[in-house]
Amino acid sequence: MSIVKINALTVPDEQREILEKRFASRGGAVENSDGFEWFELLRPVEGTDQYLVYTRWRDEASFQAWMEGPMKAAHQGGGEGGGERPKPAASGSSVWSFEVVQQAAPKS
């Protein structure tokens, strides 16, 4: 079965729009990666300032290959036009890892 990685990002109110725009403009940065299965950016509704970045992968090796390749390159690059890298929108981050042991889909 698949594995799930959830990146919990602490995002101050004034940075929410910036974070969402950055994810919207990422233009398929993960979708073409081998072993990638699903992505969701979850906005907090109440009681927390943490966004959750949910990704599902075929296996740990696929996730690690993306981390060491496309993700690393995207986060090490300069800003638009080769300028300085923009300030992070999140003030904190932690990654949670899970194995999928059960799943269900709607019945047809």
Side-chain angles (χ1 to χ4, degrees):
M1 283 250 192
S2 304
I3 64 155
V4 169
K5 300 292 183 173
I6 299 173
N7 191 357
L9 301 173
T10 304
V11 182
D13 286 344
E14 66 274 8
Q15 294 292 99
R16 285 180 165 207
E17 186 177 346
I18 292 167
L19 179 88
E20 291 179 22
K21 284 182 179 179
R22 286 182 185 169
F23 271 94
S25 68
R26 63 186 176 67
V30 71
E31 288 89 333
N32 296 322
S33 297
D34 184 48
F36 170 77
E37 296 178 353
W38 197 258
F39 162 84
E40 291 178 325
L41 176 63
L42 306 176
R43 177 192 301 139
V45 176
E46 58 187 32
T48 186
D49 59 356
Q50 288 192 312
Y51 276 72
L52 299 181
V53 182
Y54 173 100
T55 57
R56 189 174 67 218
W57 300 86
R58 176 180 58 228
D59 52 33
E60 182 68 25
S62 298
F63 172 73
Q64 291 301 327
W66 175 74
M67 286 285 292
E68 290 302 315
M71 194 286 294
K72 190 174 188 177
H75 284 82
Q76 288 180 344
E80 292 180 26
E84 287 187 32
R85 189 168 173 221
K87 178 183 175 226
S91 62
S93 170
S94 62
V95 177
W96 307 333
S97 299
F98 299 88
E99 291 179 331
V100 176
V101 293
Q102 293 183 26
Q103 61 186 17
K107 293 184 179 184
S108 298

